[in-house]
Amino acid sequence: SHGDYYCQICFLLVSLFILQVCKADEKFNQLLHFLRSHKQEQHLVFFSTCTCVEYYRKALEVLMKSVKIVCIHGKMKYDLHAN
């Protein structure tokens, strides 16, 4: 898939103003560890492209089944009347 090749994981983990910095090949595992360690909190995770948002949303939904994953990006169509 294009997601693997084109997506450079570029994310910012913000929780009480903490920025997590790690090597590129460790980022996704660090993200999983962080999210699993802070399940009771809400987080924003930023990715570099809309494709990355979709790719990692799917991966997180599979790997973190008990957590609600919501994604937003500029190419999405929004239903302004949805609850």
Side-chain angles (χ1 to χ4, degrees):
S1 107
H2 292 333
D4 277 333
Y5 182 75
Y6 290 109
C7 288
Q8 298 174 346
I9 303 174
C10 177
F11 65 87
L12 178 64
L13 300 176
V14 181
S15 179
L16 301 175
F17 305 104
I18 295 171
L19 173 64
Q20 177 75 31
V21 179
C22 59
K23 294 179 182 179
D25 62 342
E26 299 172 354
K27 285 186 179 182
F28 190 66
N29 286 336
Q30 289 291 331
L31 173 62
L32 285 173
H33 175 74
F34 180 87
L35 294 175
R36 287 175 175 155
S37 299
H38 298 87
K39 284 184 181 179
Q40 302 305 318
E41 302 165 18
Q42 292 183 354
H43 307 282
L44 283 176
V45 180
F46 295 91
F47 293 97
S48 57
T49 67
C50 297
T51 303
C52 286
V53 170
E54 290 295 331
Y55 179 84
Y56 288 103
R57 174 189 58 85
K58 291 176 185 176
L60 289 169
E61 285 177 344
V62 169
L63 296 169
M64 301 190 64
K65 294 182 190 307
S66 65
V67 175
K68 181 179 179 183
I69 306 294
V70 178
C71 77
I72 56 173
H73 59 70
K75 292 182 180 178
M76 294 178 75
K77 294 185 181 184
Y78 299 98
D79 181 0
L80 298 177
H81 302 289
N83 293 348

